[in-house]
Amino acid sequence: MTRNQKQETENQQAMNTAVRMLTRRDHTRYEIRQKLEQRGLSSGAIRAAIEECERLNYIDDERTARIYIGQLVRRGFGLRRIAIELKKKGLQDKHIEDILQQQQVEIDEREIARRVLQKKLKSFEREADPKKRRDKLYRFLVYRGFNRSIISELIKVYFH
């Protein structure tokens, strides 16, 4: 097998692997690159596969981010946590900021926090000490990525 044939075979293998991954769910460029690197494919084959997937519109970081944001909102996460999760997918801070600003009209962080708090209230009722209960709820909502002012406002409503 000639060198060109080996490169072509590896390019095809990278493309097939990328397409197989993308049929299961959307991935960012970064995720595809990471997964193809883990399989030991050359950087040239990886680059060619990613470029071809983008050309065919199989990879679109913005579309993937929007889908993932929707999933995280439904799971009850705040904007800060969503930004952290998007960064894990390899999106740049500026890109994340832009997408979240565009989505902010659709994301009512206060309402999401209220729903999450209502769901969790029952499990925190076992804590007899009201201060400890408030502190635990506060930490829980911070972990979920909600703005501290929203958390404070909701805790005042539910505990005063």
Side-chain angles (χ1 to χ4, degrees):
M1 191 180 281
T2 68
R3 185 178 150 131
N4 273 352
Q5 288 173 321
K6 283 182 183 180
Q7 183 63 47
E8 191 57 40
T9 301
E10 189 173 22
N11 286 357
Q12 191 59 52
Q13 181 184 0
M15 184 64 183
N16 290 344
T17 303
V19 169
R20 197 169 45 253
M21 287 186 278
L22 290 163
T23 59
R24 289 186 215 125
R25 72 168 175 86
D26 278 334
H27 289 72
T28 61
R29 289 175 57 106
Y30 173 80
E31 290 176 306
I32 293 292
R33 179 176 288 109
Q34 293 294 106
K35 290 179 179 193
L36 293 177
E37 284 174 357
Q38 288 171 357
R39 286 172 171 75
L41 296 164
S42 71
S43 60
I46 293 169
R47 186 175 38 259
I50 289 172
E51 286 172 3
E52 182 64 7
C53 285
E54 284 181 321
R55 188 186 72 72
L56 295 169
N57 202 27
Y58 295 167
I59 296 176
D60 180 339
D61 284 356
E62 190 168 322
R63 178 185 64 222
T64 302
R66 289 182 194 289
I67 291 168
Y68 196 51
I69 288 168
Q71 292 169 351
L72 293 172
V73 165
R74 285 188 297 282
R75 288 177 44 201
F77 290 106
L79 292 175
R80 287 184 176 160
R81 178 73 183 271
I82 291 171
I84 290 168
E85 296 300 321
L86 290 174
K87 193 168 182 115
K88 287 180 186 176
K89 289 194 169 287
L91 297 172
Q92 301 301 312
D93 288 336
K94 180 65 178 140
H95 197 80
I96 292 169
E97 256 179 59
D98 292 345
I99 292 170
L100 286 177
Q101 271 187 334
Q102 292 167 8
Q103 295 280 103
Q104 214 154 13
V105 174
E106 300 168 28
I107 300 172
D108 183 352
E109 191 173 24
R110 184 171 277 101
E111 176 58 24
I112 296 166
R114 188 192 61 71
R115 274 196 335 256
V116 168
L117 179 62
Q118 281 185 321
K119 252 185 186 176
K120 271 306 214 187
L121 276 176
K122 202 165 201 92
S123 66
F124 284 104
E125 284 176 0
R126 289 178 289 227
E127 179 58 63
D129 183 347
K131 183 180 178 348
K132 285 184 181 177
R133 186 180 322 137
R134 274 194 313 273
D135 290 348
K136 285 181 178 182
L137 279 167
Y138 192 91
R139 283 191 307 271
F140 171 75
L141 291 171
V142 166
Y143 168 77
R144 284 293 188 122
F146 293 104
N147 179 312
R148 293 180 192 277
S149 65
I150 290 173
I151 296 170
S152 294
E153 178 186 311
L154 286 173
I155 288 180
K156 282 178 189 172
V157 167
Y158 284 92
F159 292 100
H160 286 108

